[in-house]
Amino acid sequence: MKRLVLPYSNNLLESVRAGDDVELSGILFVGRDQVHKRLFDALSLSKEVPFPFEGNGIYYMGPSPAPEGFPIGAAGPTTSARMDPFSPSLIRAGLKLMVGKGPRSEEVRKAIEECHGLYLQAYGGCGALYASCIKSAEIVAYPELGPEALLKLTIEKFPAICVIDSTGLVFKGGD
């Protein structure tokens, strides 16, 4: 088990290999399609983005409403491929740690390899498990997007598996 504390240092990402179980703790940002488009557009226009990419990661997740007394409702991963049109540019701008589910495009894999990033998969169907790992959740930007707003989570012992490592190696799963 590799433990990553977020924000991370680059040499820490390079110690994780495809197939490794990973446990994340610290700060993790959340953004889906519309957030990615806005981040991409901001970079294209040389505008500031709402959080520093260096050292931080992003989780592709659509939260459900928080029950009373909890910071968030179910918090399972969403399909990563929807972010693929924007991801290579964001990776090259420093956003090198991504968490989601499903395969990524060859362009994303190449950007991860080129920039020594990581793609981790969260386990589908485990929204309640992931919600239990989230200690706080707050909107950082784009509140008008509702459940697709950019969020900042504080997480503890958030489980994932490395599917694309910093060398570009892709984990195909076990036998």
Side-chain angles (χ1 to χ4, degrees):
M1 170 81 62
K2 297 282 186 172
R3 289 178 174 78
L4 295 179
V5 176
L6 306 172
Y8 63 84
S9 63
N10 284 336
N11 60 346
L12 191 58
L13 290 188
E14 292 178 8
S15 71
V16 179
R17 292 289 165 248
D20 284 351
D21 289 317
V22 179
E23 184 180 271
L24 301 170
S25 293
I27 302 299
L28 183 62
F29 291 89
V30 172
R32 291 174 28 178
D33 323 41
Q34 292 303 309
V35 166
H36 276 67
K37 181 178 182 337
R38 290 183 184 202
L39 295 173
F40 177 86
D41 290 346
L43 290 174
S44 298
L45 299 170
S46 298
K47 292 186 177 179
E48 193 170 317
V49 294
F51 71 98
F53 286 179
E54 291 294 328
N56 285 305
I58 196 158
Y59 179 34
Y60 309 144
M61 182 262 293
S64 64
E68 190 171 327
F70 293 90
I72 202 162
T78 194
T79 304
S80 301
R82 293 198 323 260
M83 277 48 81
D84 284 2
F86 311 109
S87 292
S89 293
L90 301 182
I91 293 165
R92 290 183 179 103
L95 188 58
K96 298 190 286 187
L97 176 65
M98 297 147 290
V99 183
K101 73 174 180 182
R104 304 306 299 267
S105 69
E106 181 60 15
E107 292 78 17
V108 170
R109 191 206 62 76
K110 285 179 183 176
I112 290 170
E113 179 180 11
E114 172 189 320
C115 298
H116 307 285
L118 288 180
Y119 171 55
L120 306 177
Q121 279 198 19
Y123 301 98
C126 294
L129 167 69
Y130 287 115
S132 74
C133 299
I134 297 169
K135 304 309 171 193
S136 69
E138 65 180 273
I139 295 175
V140 173
Y142 319 128
E144 67 278 8
L145 295 176
E148 287 205 33
L150 178 65
L151 302 177
K152 178 181 173 183
L153 306 179
T154 301
I155 59 172
E156 286 180 11
K157 298 182 178 180
F158 185 103
I161 187 167
C162 180
V163 177
I164 305 174
D165 70 20
S166 62
T167 69
L169 185 63
V170 178
F171 178 63
K172 303 288 187 191
D175 293 328

